[in-house]
Amino acid sequence: MAPERVVLPTNVTPVHYNLKLVPNLETFVFTGEVAININVHDPTTEIQLNAKKLNISKVAVIVGETTHKATSIDAAENQVATFKFAHTLPKGPAVLEIEYEGEINDRMNGFYRSQYKNKEGETKYMAVTQFEACDARQAFPCWDEPSAKATFAISMVVPFELEALSNMPIKEMTAVEPDVKTVYFETTPIMSTYLVAFAVGDFEYVETTTTKLEKPVVCRVYTLPGMKEQGRFALEITPKILEYFAEIFGIAYPLPKLDHIAVPDFDAGAMENWGLITYRTVALLYDEKTSSAASKEQVASTVAHEIAHQWFGNLVTMEWWDHLWLNEGFATWVGTLAVDHLFPEWQTWSNFVVSEYQQGLSLDSLRSSHPIEVPVSDPHEIHQIFDAISYSKGASVIRMLSNWLTVDVFLAGIRRYLKKHEYKNATTDDLWDALSEESKIDVREFMNTWTRVIGIPILNVTETETHVKVEQHRFLSTNDTTEEEDQTVWWVPLGVSPKPTSILDANQTLKTRELSFEKPTSQKHGEDFYLVNKGFTGVFRTNYPSSAIKQIGQAILAGHADIGVADRAGLLADQSSLATSGHSGVDRLLDLIQYYKNEKAYVVWDLLLAKLDNITQLFSVNDRAHRAIQHFQRKLVHNMVQELGWEFPEGEDHLTSLLRGVIVQCAARSRHEETVKEAQRRFVLFMEEGSDHTKALHPTVRKTAFEVAMSHGGVKEFEQVMHYYKTTPKQDQQVMALVAIGCAVHGDALIQRVFEFALSDDVRPQDFPYLLSGLSTNIAARHAAWGWIKANWQTIVNRYTGNMGMLGYCIKIPINKMADPAVLKDLEEFFADKDTKDFERDLEQAKEGLRIRSKWVARDGAALESWLVEQGY
């Protein structure tokens, strides 16, 4: 049975909020007055609503001509404020008036401040909001639940020279005193509190307007002074995405404007507030001259994801947090659809197979995973499900379903769903109903195992001379599924290619434990292979016999046209996952990689090199094997290094630029001599006073050169990279430098300096995980980094409690490349006496990951070494 939800009583509900805020960016205090039009459904002497960290001074309810002052205000318990009245409030409409004050905090949630330095080097502040999941209650007392929708009329009293922004356009401005103004915004449509937003600061903007919508929408990108030109790329794609979604959803964007704003301190990647989307700077701003090729993709996909929410989440909102995946999974899928529509040459769906799809499958191969639809009772549990299950597995099962129904039928069902529930709340079942009505198929029957059951299937494939048999079981990375855990029979779209004649169902849906079909035969040599899960639209792992792998491998080597980019990348990902779990072995994975020597696609190389890097990291305990695998990597990329070089020709296609980035990085990390020398030469040029930075080191290979210079150098190179970090004005360049510092720092004294620097004012709290992720791949520093995290745990807890999953990151990231059973024991002992409720799920996943990796290294260490010796490495 699902635990009971911690929710407010429903005897009083809000209809409209009239909210006035007076923020002070010098004292970091704000005062607020809110008048809430309410409906009293049952006569009562008390009203309960949400408030957190607010100092409430006055409360009254006005019914007709009568004012009822609250006799007691209790705002202590569990983020709920209780107001009691001497006389019973009658059934019917009333107005609840509240005066209060709060803090413009520095915790990146609620109504918070973000600091930056202006051109003169003075520290300045802006204020902005982050309310999802339950932090609107830190800015104004409210019914802070997704289904308690209301309209909002917001006004802000701010200094004349500052801009005030909110969800809606400005209605009017009035001068209060010579240097203070009140800004009144238009009233919003009916919406949930977590989507309300406002911001105050010294902003500038670039602007455009949609041209293909019946009612034009004004689109702006707001930035801090001097940065607006970096908003051009996001601005250019915004109207195109709005127009595309209006077309495929069959509903125009409902507001008159859409603003994006870059915030220097921001916890998540972005937040879809209706009409005022907030972003961490690196997810919105892009500079053609100084940003990497990957940065352009990040901006496009984040902007598309957030704009998708304007319909899916904002117009139709989940009824409660159990259905969070509806918001996030759908926005991830349809955001990818939009990016693919705008940039077909980017191979976005193949990239989806190596990114979102793999993240979802990896997390769902753990016992400590959770179903896509997960019961959430208490607000403090909510941020723990903003993870790869809600986003990535959610998007992957939607992709599978849209493929199963066809995208056209699926989108027609989406239009039906949005139309029926616009301005209201909905559940997963409401979506299934709309899709079933449209497709005339019971979608629920297909989808329930995918969203309500934990885990994913593995399809074990066996062969006889004439037939192929597939059998499904639950897949666990620990490879120890019990009978009890293996009860689910998923509906699996098999995607066998070429399609066997004995499978009559056009969708090839496996609805039983097992199925046999005839082996395909071909007259042509090398054409008798078959693929399961063609295009990797099905959400499962495939465990082929070695004979089938060999046939597919030979077809890949021969460049067979039927094996697409997603197929080649997905096969590697499956085999890597099966090697990790023990269903296969590391030697079989390396055998398969040998067939990829003629590979040219970025998406495939990106995944292949990441998997090899993972092996290099995990098996680094054996020094000889570590050196031999680096030799294997050098040989693998040598020809590509010669072919691609370091120069980025004008007008080169996007994927070639990305490919050069990953090839050069692998060559450098595996100590490819020419690459190391060239990286050092270019680093020296880059650091020279007045050098042309982009000519010396293109942004896509800059981090690699920084890593090489530091790992082969000493204090001087370390100081140069530190200086670059502290003086570059671009946040994406700061992030790049932080990761490089973490990756390459060595020597006890410098490592100690990095630790001191990590929690200093020089590193924004939101950027701390970038440094950690660098340290996690640094064999010389990662054990020390984990010891340092433990020593500073209380500081980290004080800093990040209440943030979206940040505490979980601080545990998972530092150890995610370790495979040492002693670290597992240490992890268990360290947290044994600590309060872990805010990151319990992450902690369990960290422990399970360590168990899996240490078993793999123990099991396959000898096989890896003998394979490398046999191959002459």
Side-chain angles (χ1 to χ4, degrees):
M1 241 179 70
E4 251 187 67
R5 293 175 182 174
V6 179
V7 290
L8 293 165
T10 52
N11 63 328
V12 178
T13 52
V15 177
H16 174 74
Y17 292 78
N18 209 322
L19 174 63
K20 178 185 176 184
L21 291 161
V22 187
N24 185 324
L25 285 178
E26 284 167 10
T27 61
F28 307 129
V29 169
F30 68 93
T31 58
E33 294 169 22
V34 64
I36 311 172
N37 293 57
I38 54 175
N39 275 329
V40 179
H41 302 287
D42 303 302
T44 183
T45 56
E46 71 170 41
I47 293 177
Q48 287 194 324
L49 78 177
N50 297 114
K52 180 180 174 184
K53 298 184 175 158
L54 296 178
N55 190 356
I56 297 172
S57 51
K58 258 191 198 169
V59 177
V61 170
I62 298 156
V63 183
E65 302 290 306
T66 314
T67 300
H68 300 263
K69 286 190 174 166
T71 53
S72 78
I73 300 168
D74 178 6
E77 271 311 293
N78 208 13
Q79 305 181 15
V80 173
T82 305
F83 308 143
K84 294 195 170 158
F85 301 91
H87 300 284
T88 303
L89 304 173
K91 185 176 173 176
V95 178
L96 170 63
E97 292 185 341
I98 306 169
E99 290 179 23
Y100 62 98
E101 67 173 34
E103 180 200 6
I104 305 173
N105 70 69
D106 59 357
R107 293 183 302 274
M108 296 189 286
N109 54 41
F111 190 20
Y112 73 93
R113 63 187 187 262
S114 176
Q115 77 172 59
Y116 62 95
K117 290 208 172 3
N118 67 6
K119 281 208 298 284
E120 289 72 42
E122 302 161 328
T123 298
K124 294 283 187 187
Y125 293 91
M126 62 172 282
V128 69
T129 56
Q130 169 58 42
F131 291 163
E132 190 179 26
C134 307
D135 284 312
R137 61 191 69 177
Q138 286 197 62
F140 57 101
C142 56
W143 278 260
D144 201 7
E145 293 166 5
S147 60
K149 287 192 166 187
T151 54
F152 296 82
I154 295 170
S155 60
M156 300 189 83
V157 180
V158 298
F160 236 98
E161 70 277 8
L162 298 184
E163 293 270 355
L165 305 172
S166 187
N167 306 82
M168 297 297 284
I170 292 172
K171 183 177 169 185
E172 62 171 321
M173 280 196 276
T174 57
V176 183
E177 295 157 25
D179 51 357
V180 179
K181 63 188 174 188
T182 303
V183 182
Y184 296 90
F185 298 95
E186 303 276 0
T187 301
T188 68
I190 187 166
M191 61 187 282
S192 303
T193 49
Y194 79 89
L195 295 164
V196 171
F198 29 90
V200 184
D202 182 7
F203 308 133
E204 55 180 30
Y205 64 85
V206 284
E207 177 184 294
T208 187
T209 306
T210 57
T211 54
K212 295 180 180 166
L213 300 177
E214 203 177 315
K215 280 188 185 161
V217 176
V218 177
C219 308
R220 288 178 177 175
V221 175
Y222 280 90
T223 70
L224 294 172
M227 296 165 82
K228 69 179 182 185
E229 289 308 314
Q230 296 170 53
R232 288 278 171 205
F233 175 63
L235 185 73
E236 179 194 316
I237 61 177
T238 295
K240 295 175 184 170
I241 296 170
L242 277 172
E243 288 159 359
Y244 177 63
F245 285 155
E247 182 190 330
I248 66 171
F249 296 151
I251 294 174
Y253 172 72
L255 307 187
K257 61 100 171 169
L258 177 58
D259 296 333
H260 306 286
I261 179 169
V263 182
D265 299 284
F266 197 82
D267 184 17
M271 176 62 213
E272 68 266 21
N273 318 298
W274 217 355
L276 177 60
I277 305 174
T278 46
Y279 296 80
R280 78 166 44 199
T281 305
V282 293
L284 181 65
L285 303 188
Y286 169 78
D287 185 324
E288 205 74 56
K289 289 193 185 69
T290 62
S291 301
S292 68
S295 167
K296 191 172 195 175
E297 254 179 53
Q298 182 191 0
V299 170
S301 75
T302 310
V303 168
H305 178 103
E306 301 309 326
I307 294 177
H309 276 309
Q310 308 300 300
W311 285 264
F312 224 90
N314 302 8
L315 180 65
V316 179
T317 310
M318 62 202 160
E319 172 266 341
W320 180 249
W321 300 103
D322 296 17
H323 307 284
L324 173 75
W325 87 278
L326 268 188
N327 270 11
E328 299 305 347
F330 184 83
T332 303
W333 175 80
V334 84
T336 309
L337 195 71
V339 173
D340 185 55
H341 171 74
L342 289 185
F343 303 102
E345 69 282 5
W346 285 5
Q347 297 185 346
T348 305
W349 283 116
S350 296
N351 203 19
F352 180 93
V353 169
V354 306
S355 55
E356 299 294 345
Y357 178 92
Q358 298 306 331
Q359 287 163 28
L361 266 67
S362 298
L363 184 48
D364 216 20
S365 306
L366 302 181
R367 266 198 182 84
S368 47
S369 179
H370 61 86
I372 282 180
E373 286 183 79
V374 62
V376 173
S377 56
D378 197 341
H380 78 247
E381 297 167 12
I382 296 165
H383 66 259
Q384 296 192 54
I385 59 166
F386 280 83
D387 62 7
I389 299 296
S390 299
Y391 286 73
S392 309
K393 186 188 175 188
S396 299
V397 300
I398 282 172
R399 174 170 170 258
M400 175 170 67
L401 174 62
S402 67
N403 204 57
W404 193 70
L405 294 172
T406 74
V407 172
D408 288 346
V409 170
F410 180 77
L411 287 173
I414 293 297
R415 288 193 283 276
R416 185 186 281 262
Y417 165 84
L418 288 170
K419 199 73 213 143
K420 183 171 180 183
H421 301 284
E422 59 183 349
Y423 301 108
K424 297 200 276 284
N425 296 79
T427 65
T428 301
D429 277 336
D430 292 322
L431 178 60
W432 297 162
D433 288 344
L435 290 167
S436 299
E437 283 164 28
E438 194 60 47
S439 64
K440 312 287 184 279
I441 298 170
D442 184 356
V443 168
R444 195 179 279 101
E445 204 178 0
F446 174 63
M447 287 306 287
N448 275 350
T449 48
W450 294 104
T451 64
R452 293 193 171 164
V453 177
I454 190 172
I456 51 160
I458 179 173
L459 262 58
N460 290 320
V461 183
T462 50
E463 294 178 348
T464 65
E465 267 182 45
T466 56
H467 279 76
V468 176
K469 183 173 101 172
V470 294
E471 188 175 331
Q472 62 161 304
H473 292 280
R474 178 167 174 201
F475 176 65
L476 281 174
S477 290
T478 42
N479 194 10
D480 57 357
T481 315
T482 64
E483 201 177 323
E484 200 180 322
E485 290 170 318
D486 196 20
Q487 297 300 307
T488 306
V489 175
W490 283 267
W491 278 29
V492 183
L494 288 172
V496 179
S497 174
K499 183 178 179 298
T501 49
S502 60
I503 301 180
L504 301 176
D505 166 25
N507 280 325
Q508 301 187 31
T509 313
L510 173 66
K511 299 178 184 176
T512 52
R513 181 68 71 187
E514 59 183 59
L515 174 80
S516 290
F517 54 87
E518 73 285 358
K519 244 186 191 175
T521 51
S522 172
Q523 304 312 307
K524 283 193 199 161
H525 178 65
E527 298 265 325
D528 45 4
F529 67 91
Y530 60 91
L531 299 174
V532 177
N533 203 10
K534 173 84 178 123
F536 278 78
T537 52
V539 183
F540 56 90
R541 296 283 184 208
T542 303
N543 186 14
Y544 291 103
S546 51
S547 52
I549 291 273
K550 192 174 177 187
Q551 286 176 320
I552 299 168
Q554 285 165 343
I556 288 171
L557 188 60
H560 200 289
D562 284 352
I563 307 179
V565 171
D567 298 314
R568 301 196 301 274
L571 177 66
L572 277 170
D574 273 2
Q575 289 305 308
S576 171
S577 179
L578 298 173
T580 309
S581 65
H583 288 82
S584 172
V586 72
D587 45 354
R588 269 183 68 179
L589 174 62
L590 294 170
D591 281 339
L592 174 64
I593 286 173
Q594 307 269 56
Y595 290 114
Y596 284 74
K597 59 181 175 210
N598 300 329
E599 185 57 63
K600 291 285 183 267
Y602 158 69
V603 169
V604 181
W605 272 111
D606 186 35
L607 183 118
L608 189 159
L609 297 178
K611 296 303 178 192
L612 269 180
D613 187 55
N614 194 43
I615 293 171
T616 315
Q617 290 279 342
L618 297 184
F619 290 84
S620 61
V621 282
N622 176 337
D623 207 36
R624 199 209 157 282
H626 184 66
R627 286 197 306 275
I629 198 150
Q630 286 190 322
H631 182 187
F632 173 58
Q633 287 171 296
R634 289 196 294 275
K635 189 175 170 190
L636 189 69
V637 297
H638 178 76
N639 290 346
M640 292 296 276
V641 171
Q642 304 300 321
E643 190 183 317
L644 291 163
W646 283 74
E647 293 298 331
F648 289 73
E650 189 77 35
E652 175 176 73
D653 74 282
H654 178 71
L655 292 177
T656 305
S657 298
L658 287 169
L659 176 60
R660 183 179 297 103
V662 295
I663 294 289
V664 167
Q665 177 176 282
C666 175
R669 285 184 176 174
S670 60
R671 298 177 174 260
H672 181 267
E673 199 176 342
E674 283 169 55
T675 305
V676 168
K677 281 183 177 157
E678 185 61 8
Q680 288 170 315
R681 184 184 78 80
R682 285 174 179 266
F683 178 81
V684 171
L685 282 176
F686 182 87
M687 289 299 174
E688 278 172 6
E689 196 77 31
S691 82
D692 178 342
H693 276 174
T694 307
K695 196 169 182 331
L697 266 180
H698 188 277
T700 299
V701 289
R702 200 168 286 173
K703 180 167 80 70
T704 297
F706 280 25
E707 278 182 36
V708 168
M710 283 189 291
S711 58
H712 292 260
V715 176
K716 180 188 170 191
E717 290 77 10
F718 175 81
E719 296 289 6
Q720 286 175 307
V721 176
M722 273 291 209
H723 178 72
Y724 181 73
Y725 167 79
K726 288 176 181 175
T727 54
T728 178
K730 305 275 170 61
Q731 237 170 325
D732 63 338
Q733 290 299 292
Q734 290 171 4
V735 166
M736 179 277 297
L738 278 180
V739 179
I741 289 165
C743 284
V745 65
H746 58 98
D748 292 349
L750 289 182
I751 289 171
Q752 207 44 52
R753 273 186 60 189
V754 168
F755 294 161
E756 283 160 23
F757 160 71
L759 288 174
S760 72
D761 289 344
D762 285 326
V763 179
R764 291 179 185 277
Q766 64 164 22
D767 292 338
F768 177 61
Y770 294 122
L771 193 56
L772 281 189
S773 81
L775 287 164
S776 75
T777 63
N778 184 335
I779 294 164
R782 61 187 177 203
H783 282 277
W786 170 237
W788 170 76
I789 287 275
K790 289 186 298 177
N792 290 276
W793 184 247
Q794 198 47 55
T795 307
I796 290 166
V797 168
N798 297 346
R799 182 190 254 209
Y800 292 121
T801 294
N803 286 86
M804 283 276 188
M806 210 57 127
L807 289 175
Y809 287 148
C810 292
I811 299 162
K812 281 166 104 167
I813 293 176
I815 60 169
N816 69 3
K817 294 280 189 282
M818 294 190 197
D820 185 348
V823 177
L824 175 64
K825 187 167 179 283
D826 185 35
L827 192 66
E828 290 175 329
E829 285 170 4
F830 181 71
F831 285 108
D833 60 349
K834 293 181 178 53
D835 178 1
T836 60
K837 73 171 185 290
D838 269 358
F839 51 89
E840 210 162 333
R841 218 183 271 283
D842 286 315
L843 179 58
E844 282 314 307
Q845 288 162 5
K847 290 180 194 170
E848 198 173 344
L850 267 170
R851 277 184 214 111
I852 290 161
R853 294 190 296 274
S854 49
K855 276 185 185 168
W856 183 25
V857 170
R859 187 178 61 242
D860 263 359
L864 173 65
E865 199 168 351
S866 57
W867 187 90
L868 289 162
V869 169
E870 274 166 34
Q871 300 291 329
Y873 295 109

